[in-house]
Amino acid sequence: SANTQVVHSAGRRFIVSPVPESRLREP
Amino acid sequence: AEDTGVRVELAEEDHGRKSTIALRLWVEDPKKLKGKPKDNGAIEFTFDLEKESPDDVAQEMVESGFFHELDMKIVAKSIRDRVALIQWRRERMCPE
């Protein structure tokens, strides 16, 4: 999915992007 | 550092010069969290090593709906552990 952005009222920007498969821990 | 199930890493290389760094946080082990995280993506954000605290960021993430309030402490600890490691490396790279 494309990146999404959330800007908190305090002004900080959170950019959400998919986690690379390689970085996810095996269940 | 304790394995909190929440991973925090530098989002870009740190040359030790700027007080503001870019970090990236994501949940590696959702079972370690009390609430269900809203999104399983990686959350990138900036952090000012001199002016801001990990608790502020964790609270803003909860207020932005990424995490349940019950997980604020573990998110803050994960950020604090990574920031401490970055500051430790900076001190070794260029001692005052």
Side-chain angles (χ1 to χ4, degrees):
Chain A
S1 59
N3 292 358
T4 57
Q5 285 194 32
V6 173
V7 181
H8 185 269
S9 55
R12 189 185 321 269
R13 183 180 309 274
F14 295 114
I15 301 169
V16 184
S17 57
V19 178
E21 286 297 320
S22 60
R23 306 297 292 178
L24 290 174
R25 197 182 291 174
E26 291 302 321
Chain B
E2 178 191 345
D3 179 5
T4 60
V6 176
R7 184 80 180 165
V8 180
E9 291 189 348
L10 278 163
E12 57 189 29
E13 196 166 339
D14 177 33
H15 300 292
R17 285 189 295 273
K18 292 186 294 184
S19 70
T20 298
I21 55 176
L23 295 174
R24 181 179 297 119
L25 177 150
W26 70 92
V27 176
E28 265 191 336
D29 187 358
K31 293 191 293 299
K32 296 221 171 188
L33 297 180
K34 296 183 179 72
K36 187 173 178 339
K38 178 188 132 191
D39 194 330
N40 57 7
I43 308 166
E44 191 169 323
F45 58 98
T46 56
F47 181 80
D48 188 321
L49 291 168
E50 293 172 1
K51 294 179 189 143
E52 296 177 321
S53 101
D55 296 299
D56 296 339
V57 179
Q59 184 162 351
E60 288 170 21
M61 284 183 170
V62 167
E63 289 168 356
S64 300
F66 289 110
F67 292 100
H68 191 279
E69 191 172 355
L70 291 173
D71 295 318
M72 192 182 316
K73 276 199 175 35
I74 200 169
V75 171
K77 176 173 176 23
S78 307
I79 297 170
R80 187 173 297 110
D81 287 351
R82 176 58 63 180
V83 165
L85 184 60
I86 291 165
Q87 285 171 325
W88 180 79
R89 278 197 189 134
R90 284 189 166 205
E91 283 159 19
R92 290 186 58 211
M93 270 199 297
C94 51
E96 305 309 318

